Amino acid sequence: MKIILLGPPGAGKGTIAKLLTEYDGSVQISTGDILRAAVAAGTELGKQAEAAMSAGNLVTDELIMGIMEQRLQEGDCKNGYLLDGFPRTIPQAEALQVLLEKMGEKLDAVLELDIARDIIIGRLTTRRTCAQCGEIYNVISKPPKVEGVCDVCGSNEIVQRDDETEEAISNRLEVYQDQTAPLSDFYKNTGLLTSVMSSDKETVMTALGPKIG
Ligand code: ADP
Ligand code: ZN
């Protein structure tokens, strides 16, 4: 399946992407993960993205389209993909349409996660990430088995992301309202949009069923 996951930070896009990859072997493509890896590796791309990211602002559309144009042509995209964190602006959505047309591909659905703001803020301020492998924890609902040690890779660098301070979070939510929320109407007009108010498996599969068969 070829799906866009749309929703504010902390809505559960990453979790749903993982769930759907297990369903049919589609790959999860997270622009946030790609950018964080570039920052960690100190590449040219990382240097260009770093300042905007830690403030919770968007990186430029040009930078993102450069990444995505390459990424969508890699072999593992043949079985489908779940776009997590992209597109994030109307110009990105328009550029994606042009790109897909050029590649002769069509999206199956745009799944919008419509999650209440207080739930999101609660989730984000308690979120922790393994700086080594990217595994996500939550100090309340999903702590690592051994405090401070990553279950997956054993690293003891379980950290709060720079952009998950209270200040950066409120900025990210504002950026979402201004720049990304308009995509909901954009995709409603294409007939691809499905909205859910909860990110549990059953709700998501029921909503997507008619689109993915
Ligand atoms: P979130 O948890 O807010 O969904 P992501 O992990 O998707 O965050 O992205 C982290 C940061 O990476 C964003 O705040 C932004 O700076 C940058 N970023 C990721 N995807 C995009 C995109 N499609 N366009 C612009 N900036 C992006
Ligand atoms: Zn780890």
Side-chain angles (χ1 to χ4, degrees), residues 129-135 137 149-158:
T129 306
C130 172
Q132 289 301 323
C133 74
E135 184 70 7
Y137 296 96
V149 181
C150 178
D151 296 347
V152 177
C153 77
S155 120
N156 50 22
E157 285 180 76
I158 296 186

Side-chain angles (χ1 to χ4, degrees), residues 41-205:
T43 63
E44 191 50 41
L45 171 67
K47 283 179 193 141
Q48 287 172 26
E50 201 165 9
M53 287 178 74
S54 54
N57 292 322
L58 297 183
V59 308
T60 65
D61 292 333
E62 290 70 31
L63 204 77
I64 291 291
M65 290 317 299
I67 295 172
M68 289 308 291
E69 202 161 337
Q70 259 188 353
R71 185 64 187 90
L72 288 175
Q73 296 188 46
E74 282 172 29
D76 62 349
C77 291
K78 284 278 164 315
N79 295 327
Y81 38 78
L82 304 150
L83 303 181
D84 164 10
F86 169 87
R88 269 280 226 288
T89 63
I90 296 277
Q92 288 179 21
E94 288 169 346
L96 175 64
Q97 283 192 328
V98 173
L99 182 61
L100 291 177
E101 222 158 278
K102 210 162 69 183
M103 296 172 63
E105 291 182 4
K106 266 204 169 74
L107 295 170
D108 297 302
V110 176
L111 180 69
E112 178 181 46
L113 306 178
D114 188 6
I115 313 291
R117 184 187 164 93
D118 50 340
I119 294 180
I120 284 170
I121 292 180
R123 274 187 199 165
L124 288 176
T125 49
T126 52
R127 188 149 93 173
R128 300 292 181 270
T129 306
C130 172
Q132 289 301 323
C133 74
E135 184 70 7
I136 292 172
Y137 296 96
N138 183 291
V139 293
I140 294 160
S141 61
K142 192 199 167 199
K145 293 198 180 75
V146 178
E147 200 188 330
V149 181
C150 178
D151 296 347
V152 177
C153 77
S155 120
N156 50 22
E157 285 180 76
I158 296 186
V159 299
Q160 186 166 28
R161 276 166 38 183
D162 286 355
D163 62 356
E164 284 172 357
T165 61
E166 300 256 9
E167 193 190 350
I169 289 169
S170 72
N171 188 46
R172 279 160 71 203
L173 290 173
E174 203 171 303
V175 167
Y176 185 84
Q177 272 318 313
D178 288 354
Q179 309 210 47
T180 310
L183 292 182
S184 171
D185 278 337
F186 180 93
Y187 286 116
K188 210 176 281 167
N189 294 333
T190 65
L192 288 170
L193 191 78
T194 303
S195 239
V196 290
M197 292 185 69
S198 137
S199 51
D200 67 278
K201 184 172 178 175
E202 212 186 295
T203 308
V204 168
M205 294 317 290

